[in-house]
Amino acid sequence: MAVCEKKIDRLVQKMHEYYSNKDSNTLATVDFPNEIEYKSNEWLIYIFYSCLLDYGMRSQNYHNNLINTYHIYSQIFKPKYVIENFTTNKEELLGILKNNIHPRYPNVAVDKWLNLSMELSKYDNLLGKIKEFNNFNELNLFVRNIKGYGQKTGGLLLRLIYESNVCNFNDKLGYIPLDRHDIEISYLNNIINNQKLNDNQIEELSSSYIKSGEKLGIDANLIDKYLWNIGNDFCNKKKCTDCPLYDDCETKVQ
């Protein structure tokens, strides 16, 4: 896979010009129950669960379902409780997830929920564990070693933690987690010539965005936010003609 440096620089510059001149909030956000204190240990555990299944349905509907489920079945957001009560009783957990959260693939969802619960149950204080990380790469490896998170879901989780400032990192964002929308944006703007990328190629594309930002003096965290917003504000809503990338995007000629 070849990455066109000239075109990736142009895309990064255009996104920066657009969003830096806008009074817009580029922080990643997801709704969570009002009774949970932001940046608390309970909040952190909740967003680990909430990001896990955030795919295959409208995100707002999913998070509304999740909050309603929390109000009825708060115990399924407690890792040790889940392991002690549902490991040998998957059908009950499956029913709760299927009838309340409505994931696209319920059987896959229950396995992911149990696996995540097993991983999180290792820590009496997950927030304390996360605060031990000195740089973003340590957090990235921690999340990526938990089975179940994809590029989108893991990327959202990383951004939520990074932007909450619960960690005192000694470095800037060193990895841009690219999901299929980011890859599609790159493809439609002729930065890459293929949308079917393997993990190594995704890493290469991520590094190319970071290098472009270093060249242009634009922080990688901002590039990550810009790509996220382009996908949410324009691509997902089919507002192509309003998009700041429209002039260079292949959708213009389709």
Side-chain angles (χ1 to χ4, degrees):
M1 179 194 73
V3 176
C4 181
E5 293 184 14
K6 182 178 180 180
K7 290 183 178 179
I8 201 170
D9 289 348
R10 178 173 170 81
L11 180 142
V12 169
Q13 185 65 54
K14 290 182 73 174
M15 291 193 302
H16 185 64
E17 289 173 355
Y18 179 82
Y19 283 110
S20 62
N21 290 323
K22 291 279 185 181
D23 183 19
S24 60
N25 180 11
T26 57
L27 294 177
T29 59
V30 296
D31 294 332
F32 57 91
N34 291 330
E35 58 267 39
I36 294 180
E37 181 183 354
Y38 179 51
K39 298 199 288 188
S40 66
N41 187 62
E42 188 177 6
W43 168 81
L44 184 61
I45 292 172
Y46 182 88
I47 65 167
F48 263 85
Y49 281 114
S50 71
C51 291
L52 185 67
L53 305 179
D54 190 3
Y55 62 90
M57 63 185 295
R58 293 191 60 172
S59 187
Q60 189 60 56
N61 292 341
Y62 165 73
H63 286 288
N64 287 340
N65 292 344
L66 204 71
I67 291 171
N68 291 334
T69 303
Y70 179 87
H71 289 149
I72 303 171
Y73 301 102
S74 62
Q75 64 270 25
I76 73 165
F77 296 86
K78 302 181 186 300
K80 290 184 178 180
Y81 182 95
V82 172
I83 295 304
E84 292 171 359
N85 292 273
F86 298 115
T87 300
T88 58
N89 188 15
K90 290 174 59 174
E91 289 302 317
E92 183 179 353
L93 179 59
L94 174 64
I96 294 173
L97 299 181
K98 183 177 180 179
N99 297 325
N100 294 275
I101 299 176
H102 309 296
R104 186 172 184 179
Y105 306 107
N107 290 318
V108 174
V110 74
D111 287 337
K112 286 188 174 185
W113 203 275
L114 284 168
N115 179 71
L116 177 60
S117 299
M118 180 66 72
E119 290 297 321
L120 299 187
S121 67
K122 298 175 182 177
Y123 309 101
D124 291 329
N125 185 344
L126 180 63
L127 181 61
K129 172 63 179 178
I130 295 297
K131 284 184 175 181
E132 293 177 1
F133 299 142
N134 294 317
N135 56 66
F136 179 81
N137 188 54
E138 292 178 354
L139 174 63
N140 180 34
L141 290 175
F142 181 82
V143 170
R144 294 176 70 182
N145 283 334
I146 299 176
K147 293 180 180 179
Y149 291 107
Q151 288 288 330
K152 176 193 174 184
T153 55
L156 174 58
L157 177 59
L158 287 167
R159 283 192 59 196
L160 289 169
I161 298 173
Y162 182 87
E163 292 172 0
S164 71
N165 293 317
V166 296
C167 299
N168 293 317
F169 292 141
N170 57 22
D171 63 349
K172 295 181 179 179
L173 190 70
Y175 170 77
I176 296 177
L178 303 176
D179 65 15
R180 64 181 182 85
H181 297 293
D182 302 325
I183 294 171
E184 183 177 28
I185 290 168
S186 304
Y187 174 75
L188 290 173
N189 283 270
N190 295 300
I191 291 168
I192 54 177
N193 56 14
N194 181 16
Q195 291 191 72
K196 296 181 179 180
L197 306 184
N198 59 38
D199 290 344
N200 290 334
Q201 290 170 328
I202 293 173
E203 294 277 357
E204 180 184 348
L205 181 58
S206 175
S207 297
S208 295
Y209 273 110
I210 293 174
K211 290 176 183 177
S212 178
E214 292 173 346
K215 188 190 310 180
L216 298 170
I218 302 170
D219 190 272
N221 189 41
L222 287 177
I223 298 173
D224 184 24
K225 294 174 185 178
Y226 296 159
L227 286 168
W228 186 278
N229 275 19
I230 290 291
N232 283 340
D233 296 343
F234 302 105
C235 301
N236 289 347
K237 298 176 182 178
K238 306 299 182 184
K239 292 185 176 181
C240 296
T241 56
D242 296 329
C243 180
L245 307 180
Y246 180 64
D247 288 343
D248 293 326
C249 185
E250 286 294 315
T251 57
K252 184 178 181 180
V253 297
Q254 290 179 359

